[in-house]
Amino acid sequence: MGKRTAIYPGSYDPLTNGHIDIIERGLDLFDKIIVTALKNPGKTYLFTLEERMAIMEETFKGRENIEIDYFEGLLADYLERKNTFTVVRGLRAISDFEIEFQMALMNRSINDKIETIFLVPSISYSFLSSKLVKEIYKFGGEIKSMVPDIVDKKLKEKYSKK
Ligand code: PNS
């Protein structure tokens, strides 16, 4: 039987412990997870694509079943290029459901082979988001329990440069 691979797309600006939790849960179900960061020239990120990817490379160093990649344009086209049609997404709350449901159906309408699997994070990460992490950090709050150490370090560098 071929190895089962799933794609976990996202912005990852930056990676949080919530994403890591979903990846580890995903690896209970799949042999390999490809974590792929969106490169959207129309969007303003705090971290560049290179920085977002470097954080993930560092976090998952030595993990052969986790691949870090990026994509530009439609996720459906990326899945086609990878010849992998299983997408993993985390569902934190009902509020995530609407947009996720819409994206899953839109992706499937583009390509019927695309299947989206929703994983639920640990309750302790259910309120976590990259956006809130950045906001809390910016206003001097404590985020150490929410992100890997490297993200805490990179946020410090980022804001000291500003
Ligand atoms: O971490 P995010 O921001 O919730 O991830 C959203 C992402 C990157 C998965 C989504 O915006 C996406 O797939 N964008 C690529 C463009 C695309 O395919 N759009 C149509 C999907 S319905």
Side-chain angles (χ1 to χ4, degrees):
M1 202 174 84
K3 286 226 176 256
R4 290 176 311 167
T5 300
I7 308 269
Y8 182 32
S11 301
Y12 303 112
D13 185 37
L15 181 75
T16 69
N17 287 344
H19 295 127
I20 297 174
D21 184 68
I22 294 293
I23 293 165
E24 299 297 354
R25 287 172 197 283
L27 284 170
D28 287 340
L29 302 171
F30 297 95
D31 298 308
K32 184 179 172 184
I33 303 275
I34 302 177
V35 186
T36 189
L38 177 63
K39 179 183 182 188
N40 182 353
K43 195 174 156 184
T44 311
Y45 296 97
L46 176 64
F47 291 99
T48 65
L49 175 72
E50 290 71 24
E51 289 170 331
R52 288 180 281 140
M53 289 180 73
I55 285 169
M56 299 201 283
E57 298 280 4
E58 169 71 21
T59 304
F60 299 113
K61 198 168 50 188
R63 298 287 299 272
E64 277 172 19
N65 50 3
I66 301 173
E67 183 184 317
I68 309 302
D69 197 9
Y70 76 94
F71 73 109
E72 208 174 341
L74 286 181
L75 178 64
D77 291 339
Y78 173 79
L79 297 173
E80 191 75 57
R81 287 198 296 280
K82 290 296 213 187
N83 196 30
T84 301
F85 299 95
T86 308
V87 176
V88 164
R89 292 283 290 168
L91 264 193
R92 287 166 298 196
I94 296 286
S95 52
D96 280 340
F97 178 77
E98 211 166 331
I99 179 77
E100 293 298 335
F101 187 62
Q102 196 181 11
M103 284 203 293
L105 287 174
M106 183 59 88
N107 281 326
R108 187 186 279 156
S109 80
I110 299 171
N111 186 337
D112 195 43
K113 282 190 276 188
I114 300 174
E115 208 62 74
T116 305
I117 309 271
F118 294 110
L119 295 178
V120 177
S122 156
I123 190 90
S124 51
Y125 300 131
S126 62
F127 53 88
L128 193 55
S129 73
S130 299
K131 183 169 167 258
L132 287 183
V133 163
K134 286 181 279 193
E135 197 164 298
I136 293 165
Y137 192 87
K138 202 166 129 191
F139 295 114
E142 189 51 71
I143 50 124
K144 274 192 163 63
S145 64
M146 304 176 194
V147 293
D149 289 346
I150 173 104
V151 169
D152 185 50
K153 196 174 131 223
K154 295 288 173 195
L155 278 169
K156 208 167 281 169
E157 285 172 18
K158 194 55 86 178
Y159 283 110
S160 67
K161 270 190 225 149
K162 282 198 168 171

